[in-house]
Amino acid sequence: MPLQALPLPPSELGESPFWHPLEKRLYWCDIAGFAVNAWEPGSGHTWQWKMPSEPGCCAPSVHGKIVIGLRTGFYHLDCATGALACLASLPADAHDPRLLRLNDGQCDTAGRFWAGSMITPRTHAGAALWRLDCTSGRCVLDRMAGDNFTANGLAFSPDNRWMYWSNTPEHRIDRFAFDAASGRIGDRQPWVHFPRKIPGEPYGGRPDGASVDVHGNYWVAMYEGAGILQLAPSGEVLQRIATPVQCPTMVCFGDDDLRTLYITSARAGRPASECEAAIPAGSLLRLRVDVPGLPVNFFRPG
């Protein structure tokens, strides 16, 4: 299968795709569109749930629900009724919703939901990494790291030794030693740096959302770089996949064999030439790849 655009309306800011293995559906957020979407390839059916604020990230939960990071905190969405229930609000002394909102996030194998925030305007590195743990029956929210502008690229290695986290405007991916049993992280370590934009010179983009395959390779969307990079655990670039959209935002592995790479992209703020192209900005793309990805981790509410 060559890289193709799905027969779906473009998103303003597509993000956080995941493949639901039980429902056989692809879910994703449209952050700037204030919506969570789902598409069922088998039937072509689509669903949309409007949100009260920007949904920065989402992940599957149990009993037909998904967990979502909104501007002010973490919520459970009942997909059958559309009802939202607050799981945890971000503390006002550490998260000013006038400047900050949640952005990229994923669950770990124990069922905790991790989400990073982003700050606007970028006057200081006030964005943080939050961990929501409801596995004991009550929800506990902890601030795990800070010093970020736009948190992205959250992913876990197959052996649970590493957690990846990027600072998109700084063109840098970091990683932390990770303990899946306790949910603790070690010291932050720079992993991969990318060249910044220089006027008049080719630009490869900056690291946005990511996913990991079964061999531990890190697949990252390069925002404004019109491509996806596959990075080895060493940080070496194994391959670059060109995309017909300038701003891919995140990838996930889907379908029954987890060998279809789904790619979200951004439309908001892009020029008319991109929005009116044959494959317009904001399209959702897919491509068959040689190596399968890891299955999505489910949120465990206790």
Short mmCIF file of all heavy atoms in Angstrom, two decimals, residues 36 43 88 107 147 205 224 229:
data_model
loop_
_atom_site.label_atom_id
_atom_site.label_comp_id
_atom_site.label_asym_id
_atom_site.label_seq_id
_atom_site.Cartn_x
_atom_site.Cartn_y
_atom_site.Cartn_z
N VAL A 36 -13.02 15.12 19.48
CA VAL A 36 -12.41 13.80 19.42
C VAL A 36 -13.17 13.02 18.35
O VAL A 36 -14.40 13.07 18.28
CB VAL A 36 -12.47 13.08 20.77
CG1 VAL A 36 -11.94 11.65 20.65
CG2 VAL A 36 -11.70 13.86 21.83
N SER A 43 -16.32 -0.35 8.02
CA SER A 43 -17.64 0.13 7.59
C SER A 43 -17.59 1.52 6.98
O SER A 43 -18.53 1.94 6.30
CB SER A 43 -18.60 0.16 8.79
OG SER A 43 -18.17 1.12 9.74
N ALA A 88 -9.48 14.27 37.24
CA ALA A 88 -8.57 15.08 38.06
C ALA A 88 -8.38 16.43 37.39
O ALA A 88 -8.15 16.50 36.19
CB ALA A 88 -7.23 14.38 38.24
N CYS A 107 -0.66 6.30 27.65
CA CYS A 107 -0.68 5.46 28.85
C CYS A 107 0.54 4.55 28.87
O CYS A 107 1.04 4.14 27.81
CB CYS A 107 -1.94 4.60 28.90
SG CYS A 107 -3.45 5.52 29.22
N ASP A 147 10.28 22.33 32.77
CA ASP A 147 11.27 22.95 31.88
C ASP A 147 11.02 22.58 30.43
O ASP A 147 11.89 22.06 29.74
CB ASP A 147 12.68 22.54 32.32
CG ASP A 147 13.77 23.34 31.59
OD1 ASP A 147 13.48 24.48 31.20
OD2 ASP A 147 14.88 22.81 31.40
N GLY A 205 12.42 20.04 9.90
CA GLY A 205 11.31 20.01 10.84
C GLY A 205 11.76 19.84 12.28
O GLY A 205 12.95 19.72 12.59
N GLU A 224 6.49 20.57 10.20
CA GLU A 224 6.98 21.52 9.20
C GLU A 224 8.13 20.94 8.37
O GLU A 224 8.72 21.65 7.56
CB GLU A 224 7.41 22.85 9.85
CG GLU A 224 7.10 24.06 8.99
CD GLU A 224 7.36 25.39 9.68
OE1 GLU A 224 7.56 25.42 10.91
OE2 GLU A 224 7.37 26.41 8.96
N LEU A 229 10.44 10.32 10.67
CA LEU A 229 11.74 9.68 10.88
C LEU A 229 11.57 8.42 11.72
O LEU A 229 10.81 8.41 12.69
CB LEU A 229 12.71 10.62 11.58
CG LEU A 229 13.13 11.89 10.85
CD1 LEU A 229 14.13 12.66 11.70
CD2 LEU A 229 13.72 11.57 9.48
#
